[in-house]
């Protein structure tokens, strides 16, 4: 199966702090890969190096067969990104923001259909600042999908959504995966990870402590539930360096 993302021996430090330490993984076409870990484990730094928004100190990064620091424009056309703490102009209508975003790409998908799929079609004429937090979260996912990407990065994609909305998002992403979309996501909801992810990697202090499937993670731990296994792998107590 084709590798859409391939990372070999990635390392990135901030001064004396090693945020990512000799990290390797790959994501195959049409799969969902979960990058997990406590706050400060190195997830954000890893994603930023994969996207080319930060330069790694060492290692090889390939996205769709290209180097993100060299082929930024070509990758930009084929990648969607949703960050949990995204900041958009709030004095613009939802439909206008979607239209502006679509204008940046050669072959965007129909954003009206996406707004319908994510249950916010009726908010097209509403200012971004006037929609709820959960609606903003769904809008950010829509914006990530407007490029009609081959791979999408989703950071804490269902934070702020109620149980029904979370399940609706899962169903949409499952369908997109079946259509060939490759997804790399981070999440602190272990039920979400269990349902969506084909493979996962758990980071602790910049190093992988587990790489495989959810079932394998459970089997390699002393627990029979994935959330307990995850906590066992991470020993999740420290919240220092939360932005890494």
């Amino acid at each position: 199966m084709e590798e859409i993302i391939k990372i070999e021996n990635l390392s990135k430090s901030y001064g004396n702090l090693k945020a990512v330490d000799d990290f390797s993984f790959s994501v195959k076409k049409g799969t969902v890969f979960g990058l997990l870990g406590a706050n400060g484990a190195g997830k954000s730094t890893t994603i930023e190096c994969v996207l080319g928004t930060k330069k790694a100190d060492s290692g090889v990064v390939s996205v769709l067969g290209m180097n993100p620091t060299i082929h930024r424009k070509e990758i930009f056309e084929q990648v969607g990104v949703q960050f949990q703490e995204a900041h958009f102009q709030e004095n613009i209508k939802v439909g206008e923001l979607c239209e502006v975003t679509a204008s940046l790409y050669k072959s965007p998908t129909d954003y009206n259909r996406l707004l319908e799929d994510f249950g916010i079609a009726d908010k097209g004429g509403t200012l971004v600042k006037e929609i709820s937090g959960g609606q903003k979260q769904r809008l950010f996912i829509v914006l990530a999908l407007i490029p009609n990407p081959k791979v999408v990065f989703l950071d804490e994609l269902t934070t702020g959504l109620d149980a029904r909305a979370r399940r609706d998002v899962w169903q949409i992403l499952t369908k997109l995966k079946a259509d060939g979309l490759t997804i790399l996501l981070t999440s602190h909801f272990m039920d979400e990870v269990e349902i969506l992810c084909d493979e996962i990697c758990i980071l602790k202090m910049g190093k992988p402590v587990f790489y495989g499937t959810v079932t394998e993670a459970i089997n390699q731990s002393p627990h029979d539930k994935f959330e307990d296994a995850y906590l066992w792998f991470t020993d999740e107590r420290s919240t220092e360096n939360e932005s890494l």
Side-chain angles (χ1 to χ4, degrees), residues 116-218:
E116 185 74 36
D117 288 345
F118 282 88
I120 51 174
D122 61 332
K123 300 300 178 182
T126 305
L127 294 177
V128 172
K129 69 179 181 181
E130 294 176 351
I131 63 177
S132 70
Q135 290 166 343
K136 284 183 182 178
Q137 190 70 357
R138 279 180 275 177
L139 174 60
F140 297 159
I141 300 172
V142 167
L143 295 173
L145 294 173
I146 283 176
N148 198 17
K150 292 182 178 178
V151 56
V152 65
F153 295 77
L154 302 173
D155 182 23
E156 302 294 339
L157 74 159
T158 61
T159 297
L161 301 186
D162 60 31
R164 169 67 67 181
R166 289 178 68 217
R167 292 181 181 276
D168 289 346
V169 169
W170 296 347
Q171 289 180 351
I172 294 167
L173 294 180
T174 299
K175 180 180 182 302
L176 290 170
K177 184 183 83 165
D179 291 340
L181 181 66
T182 304
I183 302 169
L184 189 153
L185 63 82
T186 72
S187 179
H188 282 102
F189 295 118
M190 295 303 110
D191 57 341
E192 183 165 277
V193 172
E194 286 189 88
I195 288 171
L196 292 177
C197 293
D198 299 290
E199 280 193 308
I200 61 170
C201 183
I202 301 174
L203 284 175
K204 181 179 179 180
M205 298 178 66
K207 281 184 169 289
V209 291
F210 175 79
Y211 186 178
T213 66
V214 166
T215 300
E216 289 168 344
I218 295 170

Side-chain angles (χ1 to χ4, degrees), residues 2-82:
E2 180 185 357
E3 292 178 327
I4 298 298
I5 302 170
K6 187 172 183 179
I7 311 301
E8 296 178 321
N9 309 114
L10 178 69
S11 292
K12 175 68 178 179
S13 296
Y14 302 102
N16 294 324
L17 175 64
K18 200 131 194 177
V20 182
D21 189 2
D22 197 30
F23 183 25
S24 300
F25 70 96
S26 64
V27 183
K28 297 178 178 63
K29 182 178 180 180
T31 64
V32 179
F33 185 90
L35 187 59
L36 312 180
N39 292 333
K43 304 186 301 295
S44 296
T45 296
T46 297
I47 290 175
E48 288 171 323
C49 289
V50 172
L51 291 171
T53 55
K54 284 186 178 174
K55 187 175 180 181
D57 297 332
S58 60
V60 177
V61 178
S62 173
V63 180
L64 296 166
M66 295 176 282
N67 184 323
T69 59
I70 297 173
H71 302 102
R72 290 287 299 279
K73 183 178 180 181
E74 293 88 342
I75 289 176
F76 172 78
E77 284 288 342
Q78 302 176 70
V79 169
V81 183
Q82 169 264 333

Side-chain angles (χ1 to χ4, degrees), residues 56-115:
D57 297 332
S58 60
V60 177
V61 178
S62 173
V63 180
L64 296 166
M66 295 176 282
N67 184 323
T69 59
I70 297 173
H71 302 102
R72 290 287 299 279
K73 183 178 180 181
E74 293 88 342
I75 289 176
F76 172 78
E77 284 288 342
Q78 302 176 70
V79 169
V81 183
Q82 169 264 333
F83 287 122
Q84 183 183 4
E85 298 184 5
H87 298 286
F88 294 98
Q89 170 57 254
E90 294 213 321
N91 291 310
I92 186 173
K93 294 178 181 178
V94 168
E96 292 172 340
L97 179 56
C98 291
E99 185 175 355
V100 169
T101 302
S103 71
L104 300 174
Y105 300 94
K106 293 178 181 177
S107 304
T109 194
D110 179 4
Y111 65 81
N112 288 306
R113 180 181 57 79
L114 288 173
L115 291 173

